Amino acid sequence: MDHLHELAGRVKAAAKELALYSAETKNRGLSAIADALESRREEILAANVRDVAEAEQNGVRPTMVDRLTLTDERIESMAKGVRDVMALPDPVGEVMETVHRPNGLNIQKVRVPLGVIGIIYEARPNVTVDSAALCLKSGNAAFLRGGKEAFRSNMTLMSILRDALTQAGLNPDCMLLLDDTSHEVAREMMRLRGYIDVLIPRGGAGLIRSVLDNASLPVIETGTGNCHLYVDQSADLAMAVELLFNGKCSRPSVCNALETVLVHRDVAQAFLPAAKARLDEASVEWRGCPRACAILPGIQPATEQDYADEFNDYILAARVVESLDQALYHIARYSTHHSECIVTEDPESAGRFSAEVDAAAVYVNASTRFTDGSEFGLGAEIGISTQKMHARGPMGLRELTSYKYLIHGTGQIR
């Protein structure tokens, strides 16, 4: 593990340098990265084709292969994302608050980088670029460990990013990707206290549990999304069908996709057949409670585990509930505190749902697929935090900073 500590030491040293870069210097590096992604896309696609072929040979699910796959359009989107980050205000050095004390002390609360951000993620090569760009703009060094499924894609992308930084005159060690995807090295990375200031896992429930169980440094929990749609008795059922279709089918492998639909008993007979007919267009597999199975003959009975699972696939759990209270109870029991939605025309039901559901994003009559930094108008984000400290929801540039107090005096003593 000496090699790991040597790499970590290089990233830590680069973080000190990066924290002092001006916004102009960081933007110069980001511009070089965006240009390089476009000019070297053939290298990226060639590496990705090999990753995708190997994943398919190994029986990786189609929805997960989709997350792994890069195209011309997705590379263009990555480059655009980097330029979008360039256009955002630099949070570092922002004076958040100023206090003038009666004794003449001038106290400022100022944003500063977190330092070294470690990110452990799975088969999504775009995370390599997104994370590196956000960390660079927020003044943080990025120490990355990707999954084995995207190994060639990630290594190619990181080589391109580091070359671009070198050409722009920045220290390339402010972003570094481990070339070892073993679990042993990942666990050792989780214990690099003194090198990594905060660790962010991006992936499924298994990865997040592993990080939480093994890390000996601060962790920001992100990503796991067991998201629910509750169709209230007063709901516009046509709207509810379309919200369900969008939330489940537009991209089922992402963390803001719907996994369970809860339906008030008064509208279940009308809603469920209409919803199934719409979702049949995407070949969604339904798993339902006994009442849902009675209304939709032929669907698979749901198990207790089905209500707890994040399927990341064209699978949907359904439950008919007696009331808003029962829907709230179900969500409180199974939610991962990511994104939850109610479809209702009743302001009182909307108010109760909004107040009582404990989640990073709570929706009334809108798709959970909007839980995204850019969709919220916050710019790119490094993940969706499902915890309450230190950040919650989409984590953009400001959420990748801490703060310190700067105190100016004229010789005051206490």
Side-chain angles (χ1 to χ4, degrees):
M1 297 299 176
D2 289 344
H3 179 56
L4 177 63
H5 285 78
E6 186 266 328
L7 294 176
R10 284 166 49 189
V11 177
K12 184 176 177 64
K16 295 180 180 179
E17 183 178 340
L18 174 57
L20 301 177
Y21 283 164
S22 67
E24 291 75 16
T25 298
K26 291 184 285 189
N27 283 342
R28 186 171 71 246
L30 291 167
S31 179
I33 286 172
D35 291 345
L37 289 171
E38 292 173 334
S39 66
R40 298 174 66 178
R41 71 177 65 205
E42 295 305 320
E43 293 175 53
I44 301 168
L45 291 173
N48 185 249
V49 164
R50 296 174 66 194
D51 283 334
V52 169
E54 188 171 289
E56 290 174 337
Q57 289 170 7
N58 292 335
V60 175
R61 294 201 314 268
T63 52
M64 302 310 288
V65 171
D66 175 66
R67 297 180 80 166
L68 169 61
T69 302
L70 294 176
T71 61
D72 280 326
E73 293 75 18
R74 289 184 179 181
I75 293 172
E76 192 62 41
S77 178
M78 287 194 294
K80 180 182 181 299
V82 173
R83 293 193 176 100
D84 288 344
V85 171
M86 279 177 58
L88 294 170
D90 187 346
V92 178
E94 175 192 343
V95 179
M96 304 166 63
E97 189 177 339
T98 300
V99 177
H100 300 287
R101 299 296 298 149
N103 63 1
L105 287 179
N106 181 56
I107 303 172
Q108 291 183 321
K109 185 179 181 181
V110 180
R111 288 194 186 279
V112 297
L114 292 169
V116 176
I117 297 180
I119 303 169
I120 299 179
Y121 55 106
E122 295 177 324
R124 291 184 67 182
N126 64 293
V127 174
T128 302
V129 176
D130 294 345
S131 300
L134 285 160
C135 286
L136 176 59
K137 184 62 181 265
S138 58
N140 296 290
F143 195 23
L144 310 179
R145 186 271 190 186
K148 64 181 185 298
E149 296 84 2
F151 179 75
R152 299 176 187 89
S153 304
N154 288 335
M155 293 301 293
T156 300
L157 286 167
M158 182 53 68
S159 176
I160 291 170
L161 300 186
R162 287 171 57 86
D163 286 350
L165 290 182
T166 299
Q167 292 167 12
L170 282 70
N171 186 342
D173 284 341
C174 66
M175 51 185 69
L176 195 148
L177 173 71
L178 286 177
D179 58 3
D180 187 328
T181 61
S182 69
H183 293 302
E184 293 76 18
V185 167
R187 282 193 291 270
E188 186 67 21
M189 180 181 176
M190 297 174 201
R191 302 187 185 103
L192 286 177
R193 182 177 288 275
Y195 292 99
I196 297 176
D197 294 286
V198 65
L199 191 62
I200 301 176
R202 290 197 59 177
L207 170 67
I208 293 170
R209 274 197 305 271
S210 175
V211 173
L212 291 173
D213 289 346
N214 291 285
S216 60
L217 48 91
V219 175
I220 297 177
E221 185 175 350
T222 71
T224 307
N226 186 13
C227 305
H228 300 77
L229 180 82
Y230 167 57
V231 183
D232 191 38
Q233 60 187 338
S234 69
D236 178 327
L237 298 187
M239 176 197 294
V241 168
E242 292 308 310
L243 291 177
L244 178 61
F245 183 84
N246 181 257
K248 178 74 263 182
C249 303
S250 61
R251 200 169 179 194
S253 62
V254 294
C255 59
N256 56 25
L258 291 171
E259 306 294 2
T260 298
V261 60
L262 305 172
V263 187
H264 193 283
R265 64 176 185 179
D266 290 352
V267 296
Q269 194 71 49
F271 174 77
L272 286 173
K276 186 174 185 302
R278 182 74 167 101
L279 271 63
D280 280 350
E281 297 173 21
S283 301
V284 172
E285 176 187 326
W286 287 66
R287 300 177 184 178
C289 69
R291 283 197 285 184
C293 289
I295 296 170
L296 302 174
I299 71 169
Q300 184 174 327
T303 66
E304 198 71 11
Q305 189 59 43
D306 287 329
Y307 293 119
D309 277 348
E310 182 184 20
F311 297 118
N312 291 133
D313 207 343
Y314 289 99
I315 302 171
L316 179 73
R319 172 170 277 177
V320 178
V321 295
E322 292 290 319
S323 62
L324 172 60
D325 284 332
Q326 191 174 15
L328 290 169
Y329 176 82
H330 180 104
I331 291 171
R333 180 173 180 179
Y334 296 105
S335 173
T336 54
H337 312 292
H338 192 294
S339 300
E340 308 292 354
C341 176
I342 183 173
V343 188
T344 186
E345 297 298 304
D346 180 2
E348 184 176 342
S349 294
R352 277 198 61 200
F353 192 90
S354 299
E356 296 183 33
V357 168
D358 180 13
V362 181
Y363 291 85
V364 177
N365 299 331
S367 173
T368 59
R369 290 283 285 110
F370 284 108
T371 308
D372 180 277
S374 60
E375 294 293 338
F376 280 12
L378 306 174
E381 37 96 338
I382 208 162
I384 309 295
S385 170
T386 55
Q387 62 184 42
K388 299 179 183 180
M389 305 268 298
H390 98 108
R392 198 176 200 194
M395 291 188 60
L397 293 175
R398 288 188 172 188
E399 287 72 31
L400 295 179
T401 64
S402 183
Y403 55 83
K404 65 181 177 184
Y405 288 96
L406 299 180
I407 303 96
H408 291 270
T410 55
Q412 289 89 340
I413 60 174
R414 181 173 177 180

